[in-house]
Every structure is written in C-alpha cells, then in structure tokens.
Amino acid sequence: MGRKNTNSITENEGGGKSKAIWNDDLVAIYCEICVKEVAKGNRSGTHFDKIGWVNVVKVFKEITGRDYDKKQLKNKWDSLETDCKLWSSLLHKETGIGLDPAKKTVDAPPEWWQSKIDV
C-alpha cells in the first residue's frame, strides 16, 4: 500500500461536492484499506462502524491524496458489493466459464456468449 497518487481528478457536480473518479489502482488501494478495517473488527454487519469509516476515509486520503468523504466511499463499497454478488452468481451458476487473468475478463466459449446474447 505504499503507493501515493497526489492527483485530485474529480468532476464537479453543480458546484457541490466533486464526483469521485475511480481507476483500477484506486479500487485496489480502497479494497486493501477495507480488508484491513474488517480484520480490525470495525465492520459490524454489512458496513463499517463509525470508527471503521473514520479510518477508511483518513487512510484513503493519506495514501491517494484524494479527499473522498464517507458517502463517496460507501457508494463505491455498495457498487463493488453489487459487482461481487453478480460475479459470484455468474461463476457459481454457470459452467464452462472462467477468468482470463491477463485480460481481466470473463473467459467463455463462443457458444456460451451466444446463449447470453440470445436471452
């Protein structure tokens, strides 16, 4: 987690809080921070407790230089959780598919893709 990115790329939404912009590196950093907070026991239920969120916001800013607030980070958590559930469902309910680690994409035969397109 020693990576530091001081770029503060955000999009301003109507003069209010800037929209959080995520790339693969930021998502990886965020996930590492979240895993550590879970390991500390700062997640009771489906989300972090008050201490957990304070830590996540603070450490994320320290590492990335981005001043994302709890709401922005929670929105990302919710989005990642939805993606994870979809991915898990796909992997456990389907046969003949996998992950191409080089491309970071779903690896499936053409027949599988065609069946999904037909649906």
Side-chain angles (χ1 to χ4, degrees):
M1 277 194 351
R3 298 171 271 184
K4 174 114 178 172
N5 180 356
T6 57
N7 295 333
S8 294
I9 301 170
T10 57
E11 292 178 3
N12 200 348
E13 295 179 333
K17 181 73 176 170
S18 295
K19 180 181 177 187
I21 305 296
W22 294 91
N23 62 35
D24 291 345
D25 289 337
L26 288 174
V27 172
I29 291 166
Y30 179 58
C31 289
E32 289 174 21
I33 294 167
C34 290
V35 166
K36 288 181 179 181
E37 284 306 308
V38 170
K40 290 179 187 176
N42 292 330
R43 181 176 162 236
S44 57
T46 59
H47 292 292
F48 295 111
D49 57 22
K50 192 173 187 174
I51 294 169
W53 278 120
V54 167
N55 292 342
V56 169
V57 170
K58 178 183 172 207
V59 173
F60 188 81
K61 183 176 182 182
E62 288 172 357
I63 293 172
T64 67
R66 294 183 185 222
D67 192 17
Y68 293 173
D69 62 21
K70 174 188 169 186
K71 182 179 178 185
Q72 290 170 306
L73 295 173
K74 184 182 176 301
N75 286 343
K76 188 60 178 177
W77 173 280
D78 293 341
S79 172
L80 290 170
E81 183 178 42
T82 299
D83 292 348
C84 185
K85 286 178 182 178
L86 178 62
W87 178 248
S88 180
S89 172
L90 182 65
L91 285 181
H92 294 100
K93 293 182 181 175
E94 300 284 341
T95 59
I97 63 169
L99 175 66
D100 182 331
K103 295 179 184 175
K104 297 183 182 177
T105 59
V106 173
D107 185 21
E111 303 81 32
W112 185 88
W113 288 111
Q114 189 59 49
S115 72
K116 297 303 167 196
I117 291 169
D118 292 344
V119 171

